[in-house]
Each structure stands twice: as structure tokens, then as C-alpha cells.
Amino acid sequence: MYSAKGNRNRHYLINTLKMSALSLLLLSAACTSDSGTQETGKDAKPSGETTQSAASVYDTALEQAKALESYNIESKTNYTVEQPAAEEGAKAPDPVQTAIDISGGVIAKPEVQYGLKIDTLAQGQQGSIEIYAAGDELYTKDASGVWTTQSLANADESPAIETDMLDPAPLLEKLSAYKDSLKLAEDDNGYTLTFEASGEQAAALIEDALTRQLGDSAQSAQLSSLVKTGSEGKVNYSLVIDKKTHQLTSSSMKLDTTLDVNEQQIHITGSSDDVYSEQNAVSEIAVPAEATADASAKSEDAAESTAGTSGK
């Protein structure tokens, strides 16, 4: 989908987010997610009979998503992991809550570039980071406000979440096998596609998302095994498509599932909400002046140090 340089550009935040294996599972599953404040499809206000089928609306939206060159995204994900008490009569551990907010611009073609702010809450710890991949450089601002710069060519080995995670095309593609089961509502501005998966269908969707995010890795195999041994669960999807442009403008999901981990039932509930705007209108990634100033200062210091050493 992307150029070789774009494929190198996958390096923001697994270490910063400090996700556990279960957190990674949830994050993968929540690519098309729901804020949890509304019932699926409730916003749609039908204005008469629709002139389209759900499958045809889906196909057109997927076609537009595959051709998408740039966009802004606002993504909010929240989920809770509940564990049972270690033994009968004991107090169960407090639920573990995680929140991930991602906002910024992405240029998907011809080479992946982005400017993103990511705020996290994990295991009671808040974190914030800004990251910009622009030109040949990667600029990162950590929670303490310190900027670092490295060449994208030298960032291949950095742990990463792929930028595909934010791309609406793979988000839509995961529902391709279910497009004939999608439900359609229509209002004056757009179409709303909804789908509820349970049992094996829900497990298949989560496993598919997991494979796409983690690839062929030990983590992927381990978490796929957990999904397959999970008990009943369900996933509710809602996708809003603009009627004029046929672009996906928002996606939502609610997740409720239980996994068998070491013979214990781990209950996971999650919700997330993604809003897309400025489709094909993000022409450049603006790097903050302080990031480039810090980079210039460090380059000058390095040059002076080298000159001083050679002059001895």
C-alpha cells in the first residue's frame, strides 16, 4: 500500500504506551470503535426509503478509502479489564482502565508522513507525546517536553504501531466478509452502516485485527490463542459515510468479551470513537518550530565538538 520509505515509517509508541498483551489486543480490536455514549446507529434519522443497499454503500466507501491520500483524525479509545479474585472469599483486583487519545494529520501517499499527539492513561499513569514524521526526519517530544530527532532511514528497528492502524481502508476491509449483513440507515447528510457480531464472528474480527496490527509475531500467536479460547462476546460497529463524497467520516465500536487466561475469566469491555476530516486536504505536516530549533542546536553542538576534537 505504501512505498518502501513509507513501510519504514511505523515507529510510534508501543514503548511509550507501555501496553500489556491484553491492552494490545484491545487496541487492535478497537480500530472501528464507539464512544460508548450512544447506542449503535441511534444518530441516524431516516428521511424516507434509502436509494442504496448497505453493500453498495460499503463498496463505494471502501473504494474511496483505498484512494485516500491524506486526512485528519481524532481517535478516542477507552477500555476496562476486570479480573476475578485470586481465591474464593478474597477481594477482586481493581479494574484496570486504559484510555488512548490520538489526534493529528496523516499523509498516506505517496509516502507516509504524520504529525500526531497521543495522550494515554494506563495503569493509573498519564502520558503524553508528540511525534512528527516529516521529510527525512522523525521528531519526538516526550512527556517531559524534551525533543529528540532521528533520521527516518535509521528508525527501522524502533518498536511501532503501524500507521495502518489509523487508516480507514484496512478498518473497512475487516468487515468485507460481513457486508451483506450490514444494516443501513440514511439521513440528509449521510449513510450509517451498523453491524453486530457475537460469538465466533466477534472472535474472528478481533483475531483479524490482531494479526493486522502485530503481524506474524509471538505476541500475535499468543493473543490469537486467547481469543480462540474466549467465551461469549460481542462487538457492535457503526460507520458513518458522507453522502456527497462517500468518505468515511466516523467509525465506532463497542466491545464486550471474556477471555480464559490461566483458567481465569478476564472480562474486557471497550469503546472507541474515530472521526475523520480534511480528507485529501492535508498537504504537509507542520513540524513545531521548537522541534527543529532543538535539532539545529544539537547539530551545532555536535559540529563544534567534532571540530574541537580534530583541532587537538
Side-chain angles (χ1 to χ4, degrees), residues 5 66 111 113 123 134 169 193 214 216 229 238 268 280:
K5 179 178 176 182
K66 287 181 176 179
E111 294 177 344
Q113 305 278 273
Q123 298 179 342
L193 299 173
L214 297 182
D216 185 15
T229 60
S238 178
I268 302 172
N280 294 324

Side-chain angles (χ1 to χ4, degrees), residues 267-291:
H267 184 213
I268 302 172
T269 55
S271 65
S272 183
D273 187 62
D274 297 334
V275 177
Y276 297 91
S277 62
E278 300 296 318
Q279 288 92 339
N280 294 324
V282 180
S283 59
E284 66 176 340
I285 299 300
V287 180
E290 58 183 309

Side-chain angles (χ1 to χ4, degrees), residues 44-58 60 182-193 241-243 246:
K45 298 181 178 67
S47 55
E49 292 186 5
T50 179
T51 57
Q52 301 287 328
S53 68
S56 66
V57 170
Y58 169 86
T60 304
L182 296 173
K183 294 182 180 180
L184 175 66
E186 179 181 354
D187 63 21
D188 292 338
N189 296 317
Y191 305 100
T192 299
L193 299 173
I241 314 297
D242 183 85
K243 188 171 286 187
H246 304 287

Side-chain angles (χ1 to χ4, degrees), residues 16-18 97-99 119-128:
T16 303
L17 296 178
K18 296 180 180 178
Q97 296 183 328
T98 301
D119 296 317
T120 64
L121 172 63
Q123 298 179 342
Q125 300 296 314
Q126 291 185 325
S128 181

